[in-house]
Amino acid sequence: MASSGSGTWTVRTALDWIVGYLTRKEDEHPRLSAEWLLSDATGLSRVELYAYFDRPLDASELAHLHDGVLRRGRGEPLQYVCGEVAFRHIILRAQRGVLIPRPETEMLVEEGLVAVDAALADRGECQVLDLCTGSGNIALSILSERDGVHAVATDISPLAMKLATRNASALGLEKRIELIGCDLAEGVPADRWGTFDLVISNPPYIPTDELRNLPREVGDFEPVLALDGGRDGLDVFRRIVEVAPDLLRPGGMLVCELHEETLQAAARLCEGYYEDVSVVRDLTGRERFIRAIRV
């Protein structure tokens, strides 16, 4: 960042300069990005930025800000640049190589809590299995919102496992979650099979041919491993559908987030394995989740 006109960078001059720079870089929301970057560099909240417009930035803050602005200008998601993401009622660390939790997945948690609450009402405890956990956002949200729940969370990515472990520790939930690095449920101990009240997952579900049409922020920066669902987007889901009945208690629930154009096909895949199969829409009215009860 070049010197400001007065020779000193303040919150106001930095904000104005970043907005202009990111506008030229075709950032979709340049002021929002500028606020997040400044908050990350200074430790001020986005509201506080406007209360401390004349506060000067020191050298370390400017260096941190300069790095963040350049990364954002190249299209890198703000969550990676700032290193954190809000999800429901918790704040999680975010990093390159691990999928960024999305707002629509918050509703997946809401669907899963139906099974959690039923188990808690019935037995006073609940066992949850989160497949393809990524940052741990789904399992950790459930644990943070309900007592009496224990979770097992798996992911094939070692980087995701390290991040989920870090997030669990930061939230003080490490004693209530078992994190296992494996492909789906392959590493889940044999004595845990058939004990889960809820199997929940946000698996890779983008049809391969659609990957090229993803926004640059997603396609260029987020891990393909967590996105590519195969030719029809259901490659991983098929495996989950087949294995989940052996993982669930009788009457246990499977809930998954999927691509909006695959939900009807996904419901047909559940036939024979489950009863009460439902397709659930997200807040925009798009088909987004599959919910099924083990026969």
Side-chain angles (χ1 to χ4, degrees), residues 15-16 19 27 29-36 50 53:
L15 183 65
D16 291 343
V19 170
D27 188 306
H29 303 289
R31 177 163 289 273
L32 178 63
S33 294
E35 291 171 351
W36 276 107
Y50 292 92
F53 252 1

Short mmCIF file of all heavy atoms in Angstrom, two decimals, residues 15-16 19 27 29-36 50 53:
data_model
loop_
_atom_site.label_atom_id
_atom_site.label_comp_id
_atom_site.label_asym_id
_atom_site.label_seq_id
_atom_site.Cartn_x
_atom_site.Cartn_y
_atom_site.Cartn_z
N LEU A 15 -9.69 2.48 4.57
CA LEU A 15 -10.97 1.95 4.10
C LEU A 15 -11.28 2.47 2.71
O LEU A 15 -11.66 1.70 1.81
CB LEU A 15 -12.08 2.35 5.08
CG LEU A 15 -13.49 1.83 4.77
CD1 LEU A 15 -13.53 0.31 4.86
CD2 LEU A 15 -14.51 2.44 5.74
N ASP A 16 -11.13 3.78 2.51
CA ASP A 16 -11.42 4.36 1.20
C ASP A 16 -10.51 3.79 0.12
O ASP A 16 -10.95 3.49 -1.00
CB ASP A 16 -11.27 5.89 1.26
CG ASP A 16 -12.35 6.55 2.09
OD1 ASP A 16 -13.38 5.90 2.35
OD2 ASP A 16 -12.15 7.72 2.49
N VAL A 19 -11.48 0.06 -0.67
CA VAL A 19 -12.73 -0.01 -1.46
C VAL A 19 -12.43 0.29 -2.92
O VAL A 19 -12.89 -0.41 -3.83
CB VAL A 19 -13.79 0.95 -0.89
CG1 VAL A 19 -14.98 1.04 -1.85
CG2 VAL A 19 -14.26 0.47 0.48
N ASP A 27 -14.21 -6.93 -7.16
CA ASP A 27 -14.78 -7.57 -5.98
C ASP A 27 -16.28 -7.28 -5.96
O ASP A 27 -16.71 -6.14 -6.16
CB ASP A 27 -14.11 -7.01 -4.72
CG ASP A 27 -14.50 -7.75 -3.45
OD1 ASP A 27 -15.71 -7.87 -3.18
OD2 ASP A 27 -13.59 -8.20 -2.74
N HIS A 29 -18.37 -7.26 -3.49
CA HIS A 29 -18.78 -6.44 -2.34
C HIS A 29 -17.53 -5.77 -1.77
O HIS A 29 -17.06 -6.16 -0.68
CB HIS A 29 -19.48 -7.29 -1.29
CG HIS A 29 -20.68 -8.03 -1.79
ND1 HIS A 29 -21.86 -7.39 -2.12
CD2 HIS A 29 -20.87 -9.35 -2.05
CE1 HIS A 29 -22.74 -8.29 -2.54
NE2 HIS A 29 -22.17 -9.47 -2.51
N PRO A 30 -17.01 -4.76 -2.44
CA PRO A 30 -15.72 -4.19 -2.03
C PRO A 30 -15.72 -3.57 -0.64
O PRO A 30 -14.74 -3.68 0.09
CB PRO A 30 -15.43 -3.15 -3.12
CG PRO A 30 -16.76 -2.85 -3.74
CD PRO A 30 -17.54 -4.13 -3.66
N ARG A 31 -16.80 -2.86 -0.26
CA ARG A 31 -16.81 -2.24 1.07
C ARG A 31 -16.88 -3.31 2.16
O ARG A 31 -16.18 -3.20 3.19
CB ARG A 31 -17.97 -1.26 1.21
CG ARG A 31 -18.08 -0.63 2.61
CD ARG A 31 -18.93 0.61 2.61
NE ARG A 31 -18.26 1.73 1.94
CZ ARG A 31 -17.43 2.57 2.53
NH1 ARG A 31 -17.16 2.45 3.82
NH2 ARG A 31 -16.89 3.55 1.85
N LEU A 32 -17.69 -4.33 1.98
CA LEU A 32 -17.76 -5.40 2.96
C LEU A 32 -16.40 -6.08 3.10
O LEU A 32 -15.92 -6.34 4.22
CB LEU A 32 -18.81 -6.43 2.54
CG LEU A 32 -18.96 -7.65 3.45
CD1 LEU A 32 -19.44 -7.22 4.84
CD2 LEU A 32 -19.94 -8.65 2.85
N SER A 33 -15.75 -6.34 1.97
CA SER A 33 -14.41 -6.95 2.02
C SER A 33 -13.44 -6.04 2.75
O SER A 33 -12.63 -6.49 3.58
CB SER A 33 -13.91 -7.22 0.60
OG SER A 33 -14.69 -8.19 -0.06
N ALA A 34 -13.50 -4.73 2.46
CA ALA A 34 -12.59 -3.78 3.10
C ALA A 34 -12.80 -3.76 4.60
O ALA A 34 -11.84 -3.70 5.39
CB ALA A 34 -12.80 -2.39 2.51
N GLU A 35 -14.05 -3.79 5.04
CA GLU A 35 -14.34 -3.79 6.47
C GLU A 35 -13.77 -5.03 7.16
O GLU A 35 -13.18 -4.94 8.24
CB GLU A 35 -15.85 -3.71 6.69
CG GLU A 35 -16.46 -2.36 6.31
CD GLU A 35 -17.97 -2.38 6.34
OE1 GLU A 35 -18.57 -3.48 6.50
OE2 GLU A 35 -18.58 -1.30 6.20
N TRP A 36 -13.96 -6.19 6.53
CA TRP A 36 -13.45 -7.43 7.13
C TRP A 36 -11.92 -7.40 7.20
O TRP A 36 -11.33 -7.82 8.20
CB TRP A 36 -13.91 -8.63 6.31
CG TRP A 36 -15.28 -9.12 6.68
CD1 TRP A 36 -16.43 -8.99 5.96
CD2 TRP A 36 -15.65 -9.81 7.87
NE1 TRP A 36 -17.49 -9.54 6.62
CE2 TRP A 36 -17.04 -10.06 7.80
CE3 TRP A 36 -14.95 -10.24 8.99
CZ2 TRP A 36 -17.73 -10.72 8.81
CZ3 TRP A 36 -15.64 -10.92 10.00
CH2 TRP A 36 -17.02 -11.15 9.90
N TYR A 50 -16.00 2.52 12.28
CA TYR A 50 -16.62 3.81 11.98
C TYR A 50 -16.59 4.74 13.19
O TYR A 50 -16.81 5.94 13.05
CB TYR A 50 -18.05 3.59 11.48
CG TYR A 50 -18.06 2.91 10.12
CD1 TYR A 50 -18.13 1.52 10.03
CD2 TYR A 50 -17.96 3.65 8.95
CE1 TYR A 50 -18.12 0.90 8.80
CE2 TYR A 50 -17.94 3.02 7.71
CZ TYR A 50 -18.02 1.65 7.64
OH TYR A 50 -17.99 1.02 6.42
N PHE A 53 -12.54 6.36 13.04
CA PHE A 53 -12.12 6.71 11.69
C PHE A 53 -10.72 7.33 11.65
O PHE A 53 -9.97 7.13 10.71
CB PHE A 53 -13.12 7.69 11.08
CG PHE A 53 -13.98 7.07 10.01
CD1 PHE A 53 -13.86 5.75 9.64
CD2 PHE A 53 -14.93 7.85 9.35
CE1 PHE A 53 -14.65 5.20 8.65
CE2 PHE A 53 -15.72 7.32 8.35
CZ PHE A 53 -15.58 5.98 8.00
#
